[in-house]
Every structure is written in C-alpha cells, then in structure tokens.
Amino acid sequence: MKSSKYNYIVEDGDGVVFYNGITHGSFRINHQNRHAYETIINHPDDNYESFKSFIDKMLIEGFVIDDNVSEEDLVMQKYAALKRSQDYTMMILPTYECNVRCWYCIQKHANMWLSDEDVERIKRRISKVLETEEIENFQISWFGGEPLLAYNRIVEISEWAIELCDKLNKKFYANITTNGTLLTKERIEKLRQLGVVHYQITIDGDKLTHDEIKVLGKNSAFDTSVANIAEIAKHTPCVLRFNYTKENLKPDLIISDMKSRLPEEIRKNIKFLIYKVWQENGEAVDLREVHRLANMAAEAGFQPSFECVGMCYSDQKYFDCIFPNGRIGKCDNADPNSTHVCGVVGDNGEIIWEKKNLSLLDVFDPEAKATECLECRYLPICWGPCPMKREPMLQKYGEVRCVYANKDKEISEYILNSYHNALYQKRAHAANNLSVLDCKE
C-alpha cells in the first residue's frame, strides 16, 4: 500500500483537517496527534498490524491506495465523470433586463431580449444535440438578468423541450436563478409542471439591508422573495444564497428574519449558501462571523454551505450558453457582444464559431499546454482555470497558467469550506432522519 499524492493537511483553528482531493474524504484531529496520523498514512504497510481498522478506513476514503493503483487513472476517471457526457445543459438568458439593480451584479442590464428567430435557433440546437448525441438527460438553466421578466419565453421553450424529450425518451429538468420577486403561487406551480427542480434565490442580509439593495417600489423585496421561498420549499429544493460583505454580515438579524418567515418544517429543503460578494476584500471580513452565521443557520434547521472550487459547469462536455441576442458562448459572465461570444446556430442546429474558440480547450488538451495544471497537486480539486480565464491566457501566453496568487493559501480555504460543507450535510441528514423517526413514533 502507499499514501495518495493528493492528500492535504490544512490548519483549522486548534486542529488540522486531513483531506483527499480525489474522494473528498476528510477528518479532523487536534494538533498533538498530527504527526502520528501523518506517519500512519504515509507508511501504511509498516503500521498495518497496529492500526488495521484505521488503515482499512483510509483505503475506503482514498488516503491510502493499493500499490498497483494508478492515481493518474483515478484523476482521469473523476474528470470524465465531472464532464457528464450523458447530460446536455443549455443555459438560457432570455433577457438582460432586471427589475432590481444590485450594486454588485456583474451583468450590464441592457434592453436585450430573445427574439422569435432566436427561439427557433434554440429549438434547432436542442433538437440537433438530443437527436444525434448519446444524451440521457437534458437540463435548461434559466439565468439573466431576471429571467422571469421573460416568463412567457420560459413557458414556450420549456413546453416545447418537454414534448421533444418525451418523444425521444430523454429525461428533462430545469433550474432557475432569480431574485424571487416576480414569482407567484401560480407561477411556482407552473414552473414545477415545467420541470423546474431547483431554485437559487439571493438575499443580501437581514430585511432592512436587503431592501436597501433590492428596491421594489412600495413593497419589501425581502418579504416578497422569502414568502416565495416558503412556497417553493414545500416541494422543491431551493438555494437561498446570501451574498455577504463586511457590512451586511449580521448573523443574529439574518437568522431571526429568516426564521420568522420560513416555517421549520420546510427548512430542510433550503440550502443556505454563504458566498462572498466578488468585489469584497476577503481580508476585511471577519470569518468568525461567517462561521457563526453558518452555525446559527444549521441550528435553525437550514443546511449551510460555503463556496468551493471545482470544475466550472461550462466545462461539461455538452454545454451551451445562449445569450439574449441569440448568440452562443461558454460563459454567462461574458459580454454578449464580445469576441468571447462567437457562436451562432446554423440551419441544421450545429454551432458555427466565427473564430477559433479557445475556451473549448480544456487543461488536458495538448493545445492548451497546461503543464503547470497537469503537474499540480491540486489538480483533482481545481481542474484549472475556467473557460473565460483560459482563453485570454492562450491568446497572450500560448498556454494555460495558474490563476492563484497564493495557491496553497487559497486552495486551503476551499478545502476547509468543503470539509465544513460535508459536516453540515451529515448534520442535516441526521436531523432529518431523527425527525422521520419522531413522526413514526
């Protein structure tokens, strides 16, 4: 036996976290035991008789592997699984307009909407992929702008796609990212019928802070969105994404406002995603308050979750991003009029790229010359830069390079996030099982 070369040890307060990049297995111990555990994992054969049960567990978790196992093969197997070759995802931005204007939003809210001709192109593209590729599942991801401003387009395209998937015996489902203010009970029910199985809705702090950022005329954007989350979570999982800065990080007020509006019995369906606003300097944020917020959310029955690094969804084998002007790119953060968005749908549903699309090259493509990524010990966690970052690198340097200024520090933070996410998931699972047992009794 041998230890995995993708094992990491990360400082976490008064302890350390052991983490494996391939399996995402993890455990935490106190500092004084670190050397002993490290020695056992690094020399499993020498310690097997004394620590058989522990080493057997480490084999299952991937910290220890058999001598004949190739970790390069394991990495490629994991990579292939993440590429999801049996799934086709189309992200559709039906408009760039929005009914609220959050200061941190990356989108330029141009008066841009899908036309009837664009919708026909979308249908041709969907038909082309589903009819010619070995796809089992088709997903539409609605994004914007505020996609519900184009609610009729959502209904039109979804109904057509569902009919096609039924005809071709493909599974259809959808998700939507929305500010939640344009939902109604009728729309929530209709979207459920249209295959929406997942929502992401943002809050920007407690009620007062949220309503200062998302201004909704005479009504409270917070009350409107959270009331809709309460309706959604009766039957559909919902991510309640909290975008935090040092100013809006007020755990007591946030949890109090959510608890008063979201009944306890539905909270198990609500993932509380804690995400730093991209413009915020991480050094300015008190991480103790971030974790206090997460703990309070867990105690209230929500499932907290932190941002993690990993393969971008646009790196999936079959992924198209359709912009409100009908053009196609690989990343929803791109300017729809830029050279990054250089695809159009042809008459037969194929994508015609107006220039060589370098964002299609992944880190394993020889043309990407991503030697630094391929030799990096964090490869099965990071998978290299996202498509939007790879393209300018290839144009400027002729190769893909690491995006991290302090790789060890930044990846370590993501590892801790992943470790804490797993803990909260176990905690939520245990709580849900307990509630089921209580009901039976």
Side-chain angles (χ1 to χ4, degrees):
M1 293 180 289
K2 58 186 176 182
S3 65
S4 169
K5 65 181 179 182
Y6 298 112
N7 290 336
Y8 320 104
I9 304 174
V10 181
E11 295 285 332
D12 182 35
D14 60 353
V16 293
V17 169
F18 281 66
Y19 190 90
N20 181 265
I22 294 179
T23 66
H24 297 298
S26 63
F27 64 92
R28 188 181 187 276
I29 59 170
N30 54 37
H31 280 288
Q32 56 263 40
N33 291 327
R34 170 177 175 167
H35 177 71
Y37 277 82
E38 203 170 351
T39 299
I40 294 169
I41 291 172
N42 288 339
H43 305 283
D45 286 336
D46 296 341
N47 292 282
Y48 190 72
E49 282 192 22
S50 301
F51 302 99
K52 180 180 182 301
S53 60
F54 175 71
I55 292 174
D56 285 344
K57 184 177 181 181
M58 292 298 95
L59 273 165
I60 294 171
E61 295 286 338
F63 290 94
V64 173
I65 57 177
D66 290 327
D67 289 325
N68 60 349
V69 171
S70 165
E71 287 200 280
E72 288 73 19
D73 290 344
L74 294 179
V75 168
M76 291 307 297
Q77 289 168 16
K78 181 178 180 181
Y79 175 76
L82 290 170
K83 294 285 278 189
R84 295 172 60 178
S85 60
Q86 302 302 309
D87 299 343
Y88 174 39
T89 298
M90 176 178 279
M91 177 176 281
I92 303 177
L93 291 75
T95 181
Y96 262 140
E97 281 287 11
C98 187
N99 61 323
V100 295
R101 302 297 176 98
C102 305
W103 65 268
Y104 54 78
C105 186
I106 197 169
Q107 305 288 7
K108 297 177 181 178
H109 296 301
N111 183 21
M112 188 181 294
W113 305 75
L114 288 176
S115 67
D116 291 341
E117 185 180 351
D118 296 330
V119 171
E120 292 308 310
R121 292 195 189 102
I122 289 171
K123 292 177 180 179
R124 289 202 299 271
R125 177 60 183 164
I126 294 171
S127 296
K128 171 72 174 179
V129 177
L130 294 187
E131 291 172 358
T132 62
E133 305 294 341
E134 294 183 2
I135 301 296
E136 296 177 0
N137 307 301
F138 174 50
Q139 174 179 213
I140 294 180
S141 183
W142 297 104
F143 198 62
E146 171 48 57
L148 288 171
L149 286 170
Y151 175 73
N152 290 339
R153 288 296 192 199
I154 293 176
V155 173
E156 175 188 3
I157 295 171
S158 298
E159 289 181 339
W160 177 88
I162 290 170
E163 185 177 345
L164 178 65
C165 286
D166 287 344
K167 176 184 174 183
L168 298 176
N169 197 28
K170 313 287 185 182
K171 183 177 179 180
F172 174 82
Y173 54 100
N175 65 69
I176 186 167
T177 299
T178 169
N179 60 47
T181 62
L182 297 176
L183 288 166
T184 62
K185 287 185 178 181
E186 292 74 23
R187 284 187 171 188
I188 291 169
E189 176 56 27
K190 180 63 176 178
L191 291 171
R192 189 172 71 88
Q193 295 170 11
L194 294 175
V196 173
V197 296
H198 183 271
Y199 285 77
Q200 179 169 290
I201 299 176
T202 300
I203 65 165
D204 297 306
D206 63 292
K207 171 182 164 67
L208 179 62
T209 306
H210 181 93
D211 287 343
E212 289 174 347
I213 294 174
K214 288 180 169 64
V215 180
L216 195 65
K218 296 179 180 179
N219 297 320
S220 164
F222 185 90
D223 286 342
T224 303
S225 295
V226 176
N228 284 322
I229 291 171
E231 186 66 27
I232 291 164
K234 291 176 182 178
H235 50 68
T236 304
C238 183
V239 170
L240 194 160
R241 172 169 165 162
F242 169 51
N243 288 331
Y244 72 84
T245 66
K246 61 180 182 294
E247 284 84 11
N248 72 353
L249 196 54
K250 305 169 185 176
D252 300 282
L253 291 175
I254 294 165
I255 298 302
S256 175
D257 281 350
M258 292 201 305
K259 285 172 63 177
S260 67
R261 292 163 174 81
L262 296 169
E264 187 173 357
E265 63 269 17
I266 66 167
R267 294 175 195 166
K268 64 180 180 295
N269 263 348
I270 300 172
K271 178 179 283 189
F272 186 53
L273 177 60
I274 303 172
Y275 212 97
K276 183 179 72 64
V277 171
W278 67 275
Q279 296 97 329
E280 179 66 278
N281 177 8
E283 302 294 330
V285 176
D286 186 348
L287 290 180
R288 292 171 300 181
E289 286 296 278
V290 174
H291 286 280
R292 188 165 77 88
L293 174 63
N295 284 323
M296 290 182 67
E299 289 168 2
F302 302 101
Q303 184 182 319
S305 180
F306 297 105
E307 174 188 8
C308 288
V309 70
M311 181 184 288
C312 179
Y313 50 75
S314 62
D315 261 328
Q316 292 174 19
K317 184 175 181 180
Y318 298 106
F319 176 87
D320 296 326
C321 184
I322 311 293
F323 290 84
N325 59 358
R327 297 176 68 80
I328 297 180
K330 290 297 290 182
C331 178
D332 54 278
N333 286 335
D335 183 335
N337 296 310
S338 71
T339 56
H340 295 294
V341 184
C342 57
V344 294
V345 178
D347 292 339
N348 296 320
E350 77 284 6
I351 298 178
I352 301 170
W353 299 106
E354 296 171 349
K355 70 177 185 65
K356 185 174 182 179
N357 190 349
L358 297 176
S359 67
L360 296 174
L361 301 179
D362 60 41
V363 294
F364 290 99
D365 194 307
E367 285 190 68
K369 299 179 182 178
T371 305
E372 186 175 2
C373 291
L374 297 178
E375 295 178 353
C376 179
R377 64 189 298 261
Y378 298 120
L379 176 62
I381 294 179
C382 173
W383 301 111
C386 73
M388 274 290 286
K389 293 178 180 176
R390 288 198 299 264
E391 186 170 9
M393 288 179 187
L394 288 164
Q395 290 173 333
K396 185 174 182 178
Y397 307 114
E399 63 182 8
V400 171
R401 298 182 176 182
C402 182
V403 297
Y404 295 108
N406 188 337
K407 181 165 54 177
D408 290 331
K409 179 179 182 296
E410 294 178 70
I411 296 293
S412 291
E413 291 174 359
Y414 287 122
I415 288 173
L416 287 181
N417 284 352
S418 182
Y419 165 73
H420 287 291
N421 286 349
L423 284 184
Y424 286 125
Q425 287 172 6
K426 290 177 183 177
R427 183 172 174 179
H429 180 70
N432 290 340
N433 284 347
L434 180 61
S435 65
V436 170
L437 290 173
D438 287 344
C439 289
K440 287 181 178 178
E441 292 175 357

